[in-house]
Amino acid sequence: MLTIDSDVAVLGAGIVGVSTALHLQARGRSVVLVDRRGPGEETSYGNAGLIERSSVVPYAFPRSVLTLLRFALNRSADVRYHWTHLPRVAPWLFQYWRHSSPRHLADAARDMLPLIERCVSEHQLLLKDAEATHLARETGWLELCRTPKDLAFSREAAERLGEYGLSYDLLDRSQLHDLEPAINPSVFGAIHWRDPVTVSSPGAVTKAYAELFLRRGGRFVHADARQVKQSDGHWKLPSEAGEVRARDVVLALGAWSTDVTEQLGYRIPLAVKRGYHMHFSPPAGVSLNRPILSEYGGFVLSPMLDGIRLTTGIELAPRDSAPTPVQLDKAEAIARSLIPLGNRVEPEAWMGVRPCLPDMKPVIGGAGKHPGLWFNFGHAHHGFTLGPVTGRLLAEQMTGETPAADLLPYRACRF
Ligand SMILES: Cc1cc2nc3c(=O)[nH]c(=O)nc-3n(C[C@H](O)[C@H](O)[C@H](O)COP(=O)(O)OP(=O)(O)OC[C@H]3O[C@@H](n4cnc5c(N)ncnc54)[C@H](O)[C@@H]3O)c2cc1C
């Protein structure tokens, strides 16, 4: 069997793995990128495409009794669960709830800030080098408010973020109409978050970054990461093209990372929040200029190359169980009252899995028990946002540079 020798094998070619591979390569390492599919074809393909500079507070477990009661009924469009999955996920949910207390949440926001602050600039560097700037829009996104009460509530929430210096505008009905004429004039107003950048195809962006990696001399191979083994001071993995052999290996397998970490003896409490999308082809003359969020419907509508993409909120269900896109139907009904959506483009909904840790922070850094084993996964709701910056930070740590942000809050041994 042929041997493919390299300094580092990066397992997983989603936005996190591809970005990590690029940053290692930029520091002189020879890198092989490994995936069982093509680059950017799982969760990094189907998300809402927000590089979410305004999400300075992580997505927490709700603590209001009214919200919890609403979720308990299991009928809302934003969060849904499989009843049979609850006993299994309950200990994880308890940890998530605990980490969502005001004090812990403030700690998590402080830890994540150096990453969020760099998310747009890190993407911009890669977009430029990958000649993919045409896929990005500097238009921000809109949080729709159906009623004056909704707008007042969202305004207070935005004002509480004052210390972070985020740029936003409060829009009344006519200002909203000027920005997005297709939105139903019954919508009362919106908050326009101006710092985030959004893209018209997160899958195409991830593929463009992977092509940049190849152009710069990187190698991509298909293999099953679960077969990775360490022997004689090297990591080895059989692939279609021969045996991959590397001194270092990075696990960037998103929601599948624990398939490998468990085999290697690590207990990392990764759970998944599933989500769906569907594209719609709006009638002639109807378009969106930027993504819109309906908090009430728990969905985002994003203008994409394939049509208007409706992405749903959270489904708590086993990672590998069959899709149950009930939320998509509910969200679609609400979305149709906001904008003429036209027909569904695909026959089936797409499903993706957000890799989530209970303290709302990814795992980044050395594994601990195995020399040459590194982790970069668990980016939850913001993996597309954070892939490039966390790729840089890990590459800096692996090559002996001082990372641009402290990686201590992300160490694997915190669990
Ligand atoms: C509906 C929805 C909307 C979202 N919207 C946004 C958004 O607007 N902005 C944002 O920042 N984030 C968003 N996210 C989250 C974001 O998409 C994820 O956090 C991110 O894609 C995770 O990237 P990743 O590279 O870690 O994982 P993935 O993109 O899932 O990549 C993991 C890779 O590992 C590979 N793999 C798995 N198992 C194996 C194996 N055994 N062998 C080889 N390869 C393997 C897979 O094929 C895949 O390519 C959203 C998620 C969902 C579901």
Side-chain angles (χ1 to χ4, degrees):
M1 194 193 250
L2 272 175
T3 304
I4 304 166
D5 269 312
S6 65
D7 295 328
V8 190
V10 176
L11 309 187
I15 188 67
V16 175
V18 170
S19 303
T20 308
L22 275 166
H23 279 292
L24 284 163
Q25 190 182 49
R27 286 161 182 77
R29 297 294 189 270
S30 61
V31 182
V32 177
L33 185 59
V34 177
D35 204 292
R36 60 187 174 193
R37 303 184 60 167
E41 294 184 0
E42 283 284 358
T43 323
S44 298
Y45 156 74
N47 58 61
L50 271 53
I51 302 172
E52 231 313 55
R53 173 64 184 85
S54 59
S55 273
V56 288
V57 179
Y59 193 101
F61 192 99
R63 292 176 80 89
S64 121
V65 175
L66 278 180
T67 311
L68 288 172
L69 281 175
R70 189 164 66 78
F71 289 166
L73 295 174
N74 208 14
R75 289 203 211 108
S76 49
D78 44 353
V79 176
R80 185 175 177 272
Y81 50 90
H82 287 189
W83 288 100
T84 49
H85 186 53
L86 274 190
R88 219 176 111 199
V89 78
W92 186 90
L93 286 175
F94 175 69
Q95 288 303 321
Y96 183 22
W97 173 81
R98 215 171 57 80
H99 284 289
S100 300
S101 72
R103 187 171 62 81
H104 284 109
L105 190 58
D107 290 348
R110 188 204 54 224
D111 290 342
M112 293 295 287
L113 191 61
L115 277 53
I116 291 285
E117 279 175 341
R118 291 172 168 85
C119 67
V120 167
S121 55
E122 289 295 339
H123 260 291
Q124 279 168 337
L125 290 173
L126 295 185
L127 283 163
K128 184 164 167 285
D129 287 357
E131 294 168 20
T133 48
H134 59 287
L135 297 171
R137 300 170 292 233
E138 297 188 9
T139 52
W141 58 272
L142 293 170
E143 180 181 336
L144 296 191
C145 303
R146 289 181 308 160
T147 62
K149 202 172 148 204
D150 287 352
L151 187 62
F153 182 82
S154 297
R155 188 184 60 218
E156 276 169 34
E159 281 168 2
R160 278 198 298 276
L161 300 177
E163 65 182 287
Y164 298 107
L166 300 174
S167 309
Y168 64 88
D169 296 322
L170 296 172
L171 306 182
D172 63 19
R173 204 187 304 268
S174 83
Q175 290 165 321
L176 172 59
H177 186 259
D178 288 347
L179 274 190
E180 295 293 348
I183 292 179
N184 189 322
S186 70
V187 177
F188 182 77
I191 297 202
H192 182 196
W193 294 99
R194 289 194 282 111
D195 299 302
V197 168
T198 69
V199 303
S200 57
S201 173
V205 169
T206 309
K207 280 197 185 296
Y209 293 177
E211 277 156 26
L212 175 66
F213 166 76
L214 296 180
R215 278 203 299 280
R216 288 177 169 171
R219 178 137 191 207
F220 174 80
V221 298
H222 285 113
D224 182 349
R226 290 171 299 185
Q227 294 186 34
V228 71
K229 300 254 175 338
Q230 193 177 34
S231 71
D232 311 326
H234 279 88
W235 292 94
K236 295 177 185 168
L237 174 68
S239 82
E240 279 178 358
E243 185 181 65
V244 173
R245 212 168 67 138
R247 212 177 43 235
D248 290 286
V249 72
V250 177
L251 293 190
L253 295 164
W256 296 269
S257 299
T258 43
D259 290 356
V260 177
T261 54
E262 281 170 14
Q263 285 177 16
L264 295 171
Y266 296 85
R267 287 174 60 86
I268 296 184
L270 189 83
V272 301
K273 297 180 186 172
R274 307 201 307 186
Y276 298 88
H277 87 215
M278 172 59 66
H279 292 107
F280 295 85
S281 56
V286 173
S287 63
L288 274 180
N289 300 311
R290 55 184 61 70
I292 57 173
L293 165 86
S294 164
E295 188 83 49
Y296 163 74
F299 62 80
V300 175
L301 284 173
S302 306
M304 294 280 177
L305 295 180
D306 298 328
I308 294 185
R309 179 180 288 185
L310 188 161
T311 52
T312 65
I314 296 164
E315 184 186 53
L316 295 170
R319 184 190 69 189
D320 300 327
S321 68
T324 48
V326 178
Q327 286 159 293
L328 189 67
D329 297 337
K330 288 183 196 264
E332 180 179 339
I334 301 169
R336 284 189 185 282
S337 70
L338 299 175
I339 178 171
L341 272 185
N343 295 325
R344 286 186 170 205
V345 171
E346 297 95 359
E348 305 283 345
W350 170 88
M351 187 184 82
V353 274
R354 303 174 180 95
C356 302
L357 290 150
D359 60 0
M360 296 161 282
K361 293 181 286 194
V363 175
I364 311 167
K369 296 186 217 161
H370 295 76
L373 177 62
W374 306 85
F375 295 156
N376 196 359
F377 59 81
H379 296 63
H381 292 256
H382 295 118
F384 187 67
T385 300
L386 297 172
V389 60
T390 61
R392 170 188 289 279
L393 293 170
L394 181 63
E396 286 170 345
Q397 188 180 58
M398 287 175 68
T399 55
E401 289 174 38
T402 305
D406 182 11
L407 287 181
L408 205 63
Y410 309 104
R411 63 204 184 282
C413 66
R414 69 186 192 266
F415 298 109

